[in-house]
Every structure is written in C-alpha cells, then in structure tokens.
Amino acid sequence: MFEEEPILTNRGQTLDQMSIDELHARISTLRDQIAACEAEIAKKEAQKSAADALFGGKS
C-alpha cells in the first residue's frame, strides 16, 4: 500500500485554533499536495494524448 498522507486529515483543530506557524505549515503542505495533483494531471493528459494519437481517439 501507499504510505502517502490522506488528502483530507482531521487533526481535531479548527483553523481558528491553529497558531500562525501551524497555519503557514498547513498552507505549505496543501500547496505541495496541489502541485503533486497538477503534476499527476499533466502526466495523465500526456498519456491520454499519446493514446489518442495512436488509436485515433478524440479529446
């Protein structure tokens, strides 16, 4: 199995209970996760384009 963090985690804290440093860390983690998602989307789009080109599919 993958050892990635769950996309959404319940840390038992609401945003108003978090310190400024905790909020900055959370934002950084979320940005990293967004970047990973965008990279995966780009990879899948490239794979789909290659398959479409090979098999004559339409986008």
Side-chain angles (χ1 to χ4, degrees):
M1 277 274 172
F2 295 102
E3 293 186 22
E4 295 179 10
E5 278 189 42
I7 293 173
L8 299 174
T9 59
N10 183 355
R11 299 181 185 189
Q13 279 184 308
T14 59
L15 294 178
D16 63 330
Q17 294 173 319
M18 297 174 82
S19 70
I20 291 171
D21 288 338
E22 289 172 324
L23 289 167
H24 282 297
R26 182 178 172 102
I27 289 169
S28 178
T29 299
L30 292 170
R31 284 184 177 145
D32 290 345
Q33 290 174 345
I34 289 167
C37 288
E38 290 173 337
E40 189 64 26
I41 288 169
K43 178 178 141 185
K44 289 177 185 252
E45 287 176 337
Q47 290 171 340
K48 184 179 183 313
S49 292
D52 288 346
L54 182 63
F55 298 109
K58 295 184 180 181
S59 297

